[in-house]
Amino acid sequence: MVSTPFSRLANLVAGTLLLTTADTSGRYWPKVGVSARDVPALAQVIDQKTFNVLHKVPSPAVANGRSQFIPPGTTKESLFAKPFHVYDEEFYDIIGPNPTLTLLNQSGTNPRFHEAPVWSPINDEMFFAQSAGDPAAGTGLKKSAMIQKIALSEVTTAVSSQRSANGTVRVQFVAPTPEIINPNGGTNYRNRILIVGEGQGDSVAPAIYLMHPNAPYNTTVLLDNFFGRQFNSINDVAINPRSQEIYFTDPTYGYVQDFRPAPGVQKQVWRFNATTGAVGVVADGFNMPNGITFSPNGAFAYVTDTGIIQGNFGDNFTFPSTIYRYNVQDDGTFESRKVFAFLTPGVPDGIHVDTKGNVYAGGGDGVHVYNPAGKLVGKIYVGGTSANFQFAGKGRMVILAETELYFATLAAEGAFPGQMY
Ligand SMILES: *[C@@H]1O[C@H](CO)[C@@H](O)[C@H](O)[C@H]1NC(C)=O
Ligand SMILES: *[C@@H]1O[C@H](CO)[C@@H](O)[C@H](O)[C@H]1NC(C)=O
Ligand SMILES: *[C@@H]1O[C@H](CO)[C@@H](O)[C@H](O)[C@H]1NC(C)=O
Ligand SMILES: *[C@@H]1O[C@H](CO)[C@@H](O)[C@H](O)[C@H]1NC(C)=O
Ligand SMILES: *[C@@H]1O[C@H](CO)[C@@H](O)[C@H](O)[C@H]1NC(C)=O
């Protein structure tokens, strides 16, 4: 073993004893951590041991859920230069030998690339929505956020081999009939695209819409009330893969962003059976229930709580920035809420799983990737907020980063990004 070249040794003992290092007392400790084996060109290992002790740790006024943490020995530029950050060697299988990250478009100050990414396999297109309620978008009360799409056929190998292909892919506006008001979440459903809207003012209630993926984007409203009462501002939606029922989250972002009235119902997770029309609640006890998804076999549901962000009421860093996991019973009810992960910087907003059950959440510096036990194994770093992202089948991902649109390639395959129920 002694004469084995380092990279081979690392492969043999990956994750255990890699090399030794002297601490300040001169004693040698085994360096346990991520192996440096065959690090892909656009990846870098982030050794968490290098910042377990910082000696000077800034106060919460400086280092909090809004601030970017730049690990010692790195810079924002070096983090972005190799944007696939390996926190645990399990990430190598997720990214594969040659992951790529490409900037597709920048929209200046207007957050056009925000939420509701839905991959439509019929035309190989990715739909998504502009931010509703962000003052920089001018959306919310006066006008609705827009739905847009890109054709993945335009994202060629030539495009993805570059770090910036700014402007080479068309971003097209989608105008459904009737209009979808302040869209914020979406998923595939019955060969159509299901989109949830946050509503507008007192009179446009939040709703679940079903949109045809082809122009003229004929749309049907599926649900807009609970026994005559408005929802607050429906935020995100997922389909239970075992029952095909529609599950959605209803925080109060429309209210705290000044485009919906004071909340009239508890912030909770609902389910809707589109066959019978039955609407019920599966979980409450949230501050701001936000993203939702199911594990590939439907045994678990993941719900994010973005309570830290209170819109015009400011941030409160004592509130959740948390992914919760539930056991999903055969009858579709949720049981045994468990804390799955707490995320920094930012909040875990959109959430998706791959076919192996790894969990991906959009955060304040990019996409954070957790193994099924809730361990952070890696990040796709974009240097700013990614509220949501979506797989486009195997090995492709579109990342929405507010004023930036990215395309990534990696080894993993999304669990049901384009599944047609
Ligand atoms: C992308 O294009 C926009 C608009 O032309 C420009 O403002 C921006 O600097 C470009 N960004 C990069 C990284 O090239
Ligand atoms: C981004 O997309 C829009 C819409 O297609 C386009 O007008 C704009 O030029 C694109 N940005 C760049 C930098 O090309
Ligand atoms: C679109 O129009 C057809 C024909 O009127 C209708 O049957 C369908 O439900 C509409 N909605 C969607 C989402 O396709
Ligand atoms: C809806 O409810 C009915 C009756 O309980 C059930 O048979 C069906 O599987 C449920 N799911 C969907 C998606 O309709
Ligand atoms: C955060 O929320 C807690 C609990 O409601 C409250 O006591 C505290 O004053 C809040 N902090 C800020 C900065 O709003």
Side-chain angles (χ1 to χ4, degrees), residues 276-296:
T276 63
V279 181
V281 171
V282 287
D284 65 8
F286 296 96
N287 189 305
M288 286 288 191
N290 195 318
I292 180 166
T293 196
F294 290 86
S295 64

Side-chain angles (χ1 to χ4, degrees), residues 4 118 134 270 383:
T4 310
V118 181
D134 186 320
W270 301 77

Side-chain angles (χ1 to χ4, degrees), residues 169-194:
V169 172
R170 277 173 309 151
V171 181
Q172 297 170 260
F173 287 104
V174 169
T177 330
E179 197 182 357
I180 294 177
I181 304 296
N182 288 322
N184 194 77
T187 190
N188 298 86
Y189 182 69
R190 295 185 176 170
N191 293 315
R192 299 284 189 275
I193 295 174
L194 197 64

Side-chain angles (χ1 to χ4, degrees), residues 363-419:
D365 56 357
V367 178
H368 294 213
V369 186
Y370 301 87
N371 76 358
K375 177 169 62 179
L376 179 70
V377 296
K379 288 185 190 177
I380 308 173
Y381 180 89
V382 298
T385 295
S386 167
N388 215 335
F389 58 92
Q390 183 54 284
F391 283 98
K394 185 167 169 53
R396 304 186 301 178
M397 181 187 278
V398 171
I399 300 175
L400 306 175
E402 302 301 327
T403 55
E404 287 167 355
L405 178 66
Y406 288 95
F407 177 74
T409 63
L410 68 173
E413 176 172 9
F416 12 72
Q419 192 161 327

Side-chain angles (χ1 to χ4, degrees), residues 60 93 157 190 234 243 251 335 391-392 399:
D93 288 339
T157 309
R190 295 185 176 170
I234 303 177
S243 70
E335 272 196 8
F391 283 98
I399 300 175

Side-chain angles (χ1 to χ4, degrees), residues 189-190 243-246 272-276 278:
Y189 182 69
R190 295 185 176 170
S243 70
Q244 278 82 60
E245 287 190 324
I246 299 166
F272 172 45
N273 181 316
T275 307
T276 63

